[in-house]
């Protein structure tokens, strides 16, 4: 494993209010890492630190083996492309906004238009090139900001909620583009509030809550109480593994759940009958929502979905091992 970023004992506060506390975290080179969590979880703050624009109050962040300190080397900065959730665009057209970045990085003037056009096409920008940037939609503005960064061919790409204003077609195009970049060796770090979609298409997922590493995927979270190795939600009882005796919430990873038309005769001790209430493609997988006493979100392959002939309203069984259940306190 080739480590790009390494974080140790990081702590950071704003006006005395802790916003990040991460004992240890690594981000791998050439992979897509998704930072997930609710608003205020610390995702944007962590991205700013990875972008070298903010330093933690305590702890160490290293990039490519070099400890990040004040005034990091310009050679390292030039490797990083950072797109904020609300990107700043200059007055002028989309093409002129992308060209500004090329000019600032010393690209020959004769190549500005060619490279800017290429970057805009690459991100799927389809608005008029003559339209003022300030008149573009939120999604179009995000694509212009991304094109401005991609035109500089960064080795590290940091994106803060890049999908928030995109329609489905643009969303899927961007996911495909990020996978293509990753396959070419670009390291991609993306913040997102869509936990399940991130689990479907990212190589690694870092879940944050209140600035801390959550340790659970924040999907299939159930609330209840434990009685004699059973977690009771009021609607279903989930069998727990030995030793899991404390907690008021449980989580089951969507890839640890097996769907079947009949209850499986296997080591999976948890089996619940239900019906399909949702079907949606997610990053090359299929997201299946099943109401089985409680709501379960499951990720399966497209091949599995086709083999089972899944349809809305179809009866299905939800099956998972007791060892797949994570117990914790909220």
């Amino acid at each position: 494993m080739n480590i790009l970023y390494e974080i140790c004992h990081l702590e950071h506060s704003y006006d005395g209010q802790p916003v990040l506390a991460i004992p240890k975290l690594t981000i791998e080179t050439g992979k897509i890492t998704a930072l997930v969590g609710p608003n205020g979880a610390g995702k944007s703050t962590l991205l700013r630190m990875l972008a070298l624009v903010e330093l933690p109050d305590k702890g160490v962040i290293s990039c490519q083996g070099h400890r990040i300190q004040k005034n990091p080397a310009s050679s390292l900065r030039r490797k990083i492309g950072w797109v904020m959730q609300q990107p700043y665009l200059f007055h002028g057209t989309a093409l002129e906004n992308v060209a500004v970045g090329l000019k600032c990085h010393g690209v020959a003037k004769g190549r500005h238009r060619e490279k800017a056009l290429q970057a805009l096409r690459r991100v799927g920008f389809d608005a008029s090139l003559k339209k003022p940037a300030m008149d573009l939609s939120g999604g179009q503005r995000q694509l212009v900001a991304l094109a401005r960064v991609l035109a500089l061919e960064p080795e590290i790409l940091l994106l803060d909620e890049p999908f928030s204003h995109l329609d489905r077609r643009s969303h899927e195009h961007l996911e495909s583009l990020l996978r293509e970049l990753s396959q070419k060796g670009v390291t991609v770090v993306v913040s997102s509030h869509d936990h399940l979609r991130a689990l479907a298409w990212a190589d690694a997922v870092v879940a944050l809550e209140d600035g801390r590493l959550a340790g659970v995927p924040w999907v299939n979270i159930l609330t209840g109480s434990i009685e004699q190795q059973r977690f009771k939600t009021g609607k279903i009882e989930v069998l727990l593994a030995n030793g899991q005796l404390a907690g008021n919430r449980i989580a089951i990873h969507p890839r640890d759940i097996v769907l079947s038309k009949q209850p499986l005769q296997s080591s999976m001790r948890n089996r619940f009958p239900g019906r399909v209430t949702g079907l949606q493609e997610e990053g090359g997988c299929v997201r299946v929502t099943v109401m089985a006493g409680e709501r379960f979100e499951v990720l399966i392959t497209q091949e599995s979905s086709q083999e089972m002939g899944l349809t809305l309203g179809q009866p299905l069984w939800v099956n998972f091992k007791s060892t797949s259940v994570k117990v914790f306190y909220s």
Side-chain angles (χ1 to χ4, degrees):
M1 183 171 63
N2 191 0
I3 301 301
L4 176 65
Y5 286 105
E6 186 168 10
I7 293 172
C8 295
H9 308 299
L10 183 151
E11 295 182 18
H12 197 63
S13 301
Y14 291 134
D15 298 325
Q17 180 67 34
V19 293
L20 280 179
I22 300 177
K24 186 172 180 61
L25 177 65
T26 57
I27 294 175
E28 196 172 347
T29 301
K31 302 293 185 181
I32 300 175
T33 298
L35 308 178
V36 300
N39 291 336
K43 304 186 298 294
S44 296
T45 301
L46 181 55
L47 278 177
R48 286 197 295 272
M49 292 180 180
L50 299 180
L52 313 186
V53 299
E54 190 167 348
L55 290 174
D57 296 333
K58 296 180 181 179
V60 175
I61 300 179
S62 297
C63 181
Q64 294 183 331
H66 301 288
R67 178 171 178 170
I68 298 174
Q69 298 176 317
K70 287 185 178 179
N71 302 316
S74 59
S75 58
L76 182 57
R77 283 187 180 277
R78 285 177 177 269
K79 295 179 180 181
I80 300 173
W82 175 42
V83 181
M84 296 179 287
Q85 185 176 2
Q86 301 293 336
Y88 178 80
L89 297 184
F90 301 102
H91 290 284
T93 65
L95 198 63
E96 290 168 340
N97 267 271
V98 179
V100 164
L102 295 167
K103 180 180 179 180
C104 293
H105 280 71
V107 176
K109 185 176 180 180
R111 299 197 62 203
H112 288 180
R113 180 177 175 81
E114 171 197 350
K115 289 183 71 68
L117 279 172
Q118 184 181 37
L120 285 167
R121 292 193 195 103
R122 197 175 187 189
V123 301
F125 181 80
D126 57 4
S128 170
L129 295 175
K130 296 181 180 179
K131 191 173 184 178
M134 299 306 169
D135 294 339
L136 297 174
S137 68
Q140 290 167 341
R141 289 166 64 87
Q142 282 184 313
L143 293 179
V144 172
L146 177 58
R148 186 166 58 193
V149 166
L150 289 185
L152 303 175
E153 301 179 4
E155 295 179 20
I156 304 166
L157 185 59
L158 308 174
L159 307 175
D160 196 356
E161 296 284 359
F163 306 111
S164 57
H165 297 294
L166 300 183
D167 58 28
R168 183 174 180 82
R169 183 184 64 81
S170 297
H171 191 141
E172 291 174 350
H173 177 84
L174 180 53
E175 282 186 355
S176 178
L177 174 59
L178 295 182
R179 282 194 293 269
E180 175 190 327
L181 291 168
S182 175
Q183 289 165 2
K184 293 180 178 179
V186 177
T187 303
V188 180
V189 183
V190 182
S191 73
S192 175
H193 63 273
D194 193 336
H195 308 71
L196 194 62
R197 191 160 191 131
L199 286 167
W201 71 277
D203 298 308
V205 175
V206 177
L208 294 171
E209 185 184 32
D210 295 329
R212 299 177 181 273
L213 298 179
V216 295
W218 292 111
V219 181
N220 299 321
I221 303 289
L222 305 179
T223 302
S225 59
I226 297 175
E227 295 181 23
Q228 297 181 344
Q229 216 65 43
R230 295 172 181 267
F231 188 88
K232 298 184 178 182
T233 71
K235 296 179 180 179
I236 62 173
E237 294 185 9
V238 178
L239 297 174
L240 305 177
N242 292 333
Q244 294 183 314
L245 299 176
N248 64 348
R249 302 182 89 181
I250 61 172
I252 304 100
H253 196 291
R255 291 191 185 278
D256 288 340
I257 298 174
V258 176
L259 299 177
S260 63
K261 294 183 177 180
Q262 301 294 332
L264 294 179
Q265 301 302 315
S266 70
S267 60
M268 296 186 180
R269 300 169 62 200
N270 289 294
R271 309 182 188 98
F272 304 102
R275 288 187 180 274
V276 177
T277 59
L279 290 169
Q280 184 176 336
E281 290 190 11
E282 297 279 12
C285 299
V286 177
R287 170 181 182 166
V288 187
T289 305
V290 182
M291 286 302 300
E294 296 282 1
R295 172 173 169 160
F296 291 92
E297 302 283 1
V298 188
L299 286 173
I300 64 174
T301 64
Q302 292 180 342
E303 292 79 5
S304 296
S305 176
Q306 292 169 1
E307 288 174 2
M308 298 181 71
L310 295 184
T311 58
L312 291 175
Q314 177 179 342
L316 275 185
W317 283 76
V318 168
N319 310 268
F320 53 91
K321 296 180 178 180
S322 58
T323 53
S324 297
V325 183
K326 307 295 184 184
V327 182
F328 61 103
Y329 280 107
S330 58

